[in-house]
Amino acid sequence: MVRGIGQISSLEDLGMIVVSSEKGVPIFLSDLGKLKYGNLECKGVFGYSDRTREYSESIQGIVLLLKHENPSRVLDGIRSAVDELNQDILPDGVRIHAFLDRTELVETTLHTVSRTLLEGMASAIVILIIFLGNWRGALLVAVTIPLSMLIAFILMHLTDIPANLLSLGAVDFGIIVDGAIVMMETILKKREDHEGEYLTELSIAERVALVARLIIFATIIIITAYLPLFAFERVERKLFTPMAFTISYALIGALLVAVLLIPGIGHALYRKPQKIYHNKWLEKLTAAYAKVVNRIVLKPKKIVLTVVAVFVGAVILSITVGKDFLPELDEGSIWLQVNLPPGISVEKSKEMSDTLCMRTMKYPEVTYVAVQAGRNDDGTDPFTPSHFEVSVGIKPYKEWPRGKTKADLIEELAEEYASMPGYTVGFSQPMIDGVMDKISGAHSELVVKVYGNNFKETRRIAEDVLNTLREVKGSVDLDID
């Protein structure tokens, strides 16, 4: 290939380039062979199949979301642009078809977060009413939840932290209302001790001052426990730090409500003389608890031995229990990493791609199969034709046969692929596959990297490592990339 800026304007000009000379006789480029116009060498193929389409070779485009943009708004704009292209601009026979869209995932995530927050609020209110035995006090404490979340959302907006499953999924409403409960119990105790008297603001302020310092100190301790998460960097920071910020903001909001709002409203509700409701079954439970504590105090050796045994058991379990970098979040789709025999041609790769699509589409739960074989045009994925990245779409779970799960489908697909010679398939999901690629440079939760200048020797070592890992219980989808 010749690249440059010069006076070449035709094949004849290119043929007149002197490449060498022999005894004063020039040798031109046209003497070495026939010059003709050609195309760029094809180094990759994109294949797509669904229930109505089947293309061995087509064109794929990917739309990237800018940092801090709203996915829902951007997706709406993309759909509008695609509709305009299909209806008014593209020629007959050419259409854009979106097959991997984050809309459903975003909507599912928002639904999950909203449901979790609402269920948490409702559960907290019900439990407060049952245990406090006072609906006015319970509702006053429950006000802490929406107000603390409002403060958290304001601070999240100011610090550019998005509201999503990672930031809101771990919010614990039990911790958020702790301070308000303590403050409310203090006011109710004051009312109980002086049933026939009016409670003055000064008397409430004195009682509140006794517990406010303890509530502030306890909140600081809880926030301090999240300090290690604030020190994370790179991908780990994106995954875990938003949760730490959100919980800390919510705790700050809950602290402000408990110290500043609850005492004032509590005084307004309970300043007049009134009889306080006594929770009879809770009093009985408290008395039974006191008896157990007294027996334990009288025999400290038994409790110490029990605590030591529990601690030893916890240490043993922490060593032997399985560990994950992240819990598995179902993205509603499947992503395959497929390795073929090295050195195959693009045509052979396309043929094997068609076979993979055909064998995968025979499962009724699958909606489409999109195969990226080899290298893409921009060179960001410099794979050879012997490597596939495959997106497998699946139907909504409510349309599946009763009792069948995604894990069952993956097991069936794994058996199917195992019967196909030349295919080595690893299973993942689109988003987590990208996360793992950013963390380790490979598409797996566990990666062993072998470095060296001798390719043959590094390959031998990699095969030895692979054989060793195959003997490890629980290891799956092992391959050399």
Side-chain angles (χ1 to χ4, degrees), residues 7 120-121 234 250 274 285 305 310 321 351 442 448 456 473:
Q7 300 300 317
M121 292 180 187
R234 301 177 61 190
Q274 55 187 280
L285 186 63
L305 291 175
V310 171
V321 72
E351 179 185 327
V448 179
K456 185 176 181 180
K473 183 180 180 181

Side-chain angles (χ1 to χ4, degrees), residues 154-311:
I154 293 173
L155 294 176
M156 289 168 66
H157 176 72
L158 295 176
T159 53
D160 294 327
I161 295 177
N164 52 40
L165 191 60
L166 293 175
S167 59
L168 297 175
V171 174
D172 188 341
F173 294 110
I175 296 178
I176 289 177
V177 299
D178 274 349
I181 291 175
V182 172
M183 189 64 71
M184 193 70 248
E185 283 285 1
T186 301
I187 296 173
L188 291 176
K189 180 62 176 175
K190 180 70 175 177
R191 176 73 278 169
E192 183 179 351
D193 294 341
H194 304 82
E195 288 188 0
E197 304 176 9
Y198 275 88
L199 298 181
T200 64
E201 295 180 0
L202 181 60
S203 64
I204 292 292
E206 291 175 350
R207 183 65 68 92
V208 166
L210 296 175
V211 297
R213 184 173 58 180
L214 301 177
I215 294 174
I216 295 172
F217 185 66
T219 303
I220 293 174
I221 291 177
I222 296 173
I223 295 176
T224 303
Y226 290 95
L227 283 180
L229 299 183
F230 294 107
F232 283 171
E233 297 180 354
R234 301 177 61 190
V235 176
E236 293 86 350
R237 180 177 181 84
K238 293 181 179 294
L239 293 174
F240 298 110
T241 304
M243 175 197 69
F245 274 110
T246 302
I247 293 179
S248 299
Y249 292 158
L251 287 172
I252 292 173
L255 176 63
L256 294 176
V257 172
V259 175
L260 301 179
L261 183 63
I262 297 296
I265 300 180
H267 173 261
L269 292 176
Y270 298 104
R271 68 180 185 273
K272 296 181 180 179
Q274 55 187 280
K275 187 175 181 180
I276 298 299
Y277 171 79
H278 293 276
N279 198 329
K280 300 297 183 182
W281 68 269
L282 186 58
E283 291 178 355
K284 293 179 180 179
L285 186 63
T286 303
Y289 170 73
K291 292 180 180 179
V292 173
V293 172
N294 290 332
R295 287 200 298 267
I296 291 174
V297 171
L298 295 175
K299 299 179 180 179
K301 290 184 178 180
K302 290 185 178 180
I303 190 62
V304 170
L305 291 175
T306 303
V307 171
V308 170
V310 171
F311 176 76

Side-chain angles (χ1 to χ4, degrees), residues 358-369:
M358 180 187 66
R359 299 284 287 270
T360 305
M361 285 300 299
K362 75 178 189 178
Y363 291 89
E365 295 82 12
V366 176
T367 56
Y368 74 84
V369 181

Side-chain angles (χ1 to χ4, degrees), residues 119-140:
E119 288 179 352
M121 292 180 187
S123 300
I125 293 173
V126 171
I127 292 174
L128 287 171
I129 293 175
I130 292 174
F131 281 89
L132 287 179
N134 186 305
W135 67 269
R136 288 189 300 176
L139 292 179
L140 178 56

Side-chain angles (χ1 to χ4, degrees), residues 336-339 356 413-414 417-418 423-427 477-479:
L336 306 179
Q337 294 289 341
V338 184
N339 283 331
L356 182 70
L413 290 174
Y417 300 146
Y423 295 83
T424 304
V425 183
F427 291 85
D477 298 341
L478 299 172
D479 196 16

